[in-house]
Amino acid sequence: MTRSTISTPNAPAAIGTYSQAVRTGDTLYLSGQIGLDPTSGQLVEGIESQIQRVFANLKAVAEAAGASLGDVVKLTVYLTDLANFARVNEAMSRYFTQPYPARAVVGVASLPRGALIEADAIVVFRD
């Protein structure tokens, strides 16, 4: 099966040995996004801004591949403070519609660059 990488300047450039996304067949794997501003490369301040930026970054990468957040079938969210779980739910209602993707929320001790949230996703292209 062929494999291709996806890259867009509308999301932060990869800061390590990975691609923004990889497509194989009808499946697109979006790498974890933290709240980095794609223009400045700097982490935005505060949990609300980081949540919004994470979903905007995921959206940009999905769109660069010809998909949308509506095509996400699995979302994993990593939080350094699970007290922010309700904020993530509220933000998701602005970025996703029913049927919602499957999701896991994981509490973690730390994230790259001191981020408060990270999320990755799996997209399946519709016929």
Side-chain angles (χ1 to χ4, degrees):
M1 191 171 292
T2 62
R3 185 173 103 163
S4 60
T5 59
I6 307 300
S7 181
T8 177
N10 297 324
I15 55 175
T17 54
Y18 64 93
S19 301
Q20 287 176 331
V22 174
R23 181 175 180 170
T24 182
D26 290 336
T27 306
L28 177 71
Y29 298 90
L30 284 78
S31 290
Q33 290 287 329
I34 59 175
L36 293 178
D37 178 274
T39 303
S40 70
Q42 298 300 310
L43 188 66
V44 297
E45 300 231 0
I47 186 63
E48 292 293 339
S49 294
Q50 287 189 31
I51 291 169
Q52 299 307 317
R53 187 75 257 162
V54 162
F55 287 124
N57 290 344
L58 287 173
K59 180 180 182 221
V61 176
E63 288 175 349
S68 73
L69 291 183
D71 299 313
V72 170
V73 296
K74 176 68 165 78
L75 180 71
T76 305
V77 178
Y78 308 90
L79 290 170
T80 59
D81 185 347
L82 287 174
N84 293 314
F85 185 82
R87 289 180 167 145
V88 170
N89 275 337
E90 196 277 321
M92 281 188 66
S93 71
R94 293 191 300 275
Y95 286 93
F96 297 90
T97 58
Q98 292 187 0
Y100 298 118
R103 180 187 72 186
V105 178
V106 181
V108 296
S110 64
L111 291 167
R113 296 203 178 175
L116 304 172
I117 179 174
E118 181 172 358
D120 61 40
I122 300 172
V123 167
V124 173
F125 289 88
R126 300 174 190 197
D127 296 327

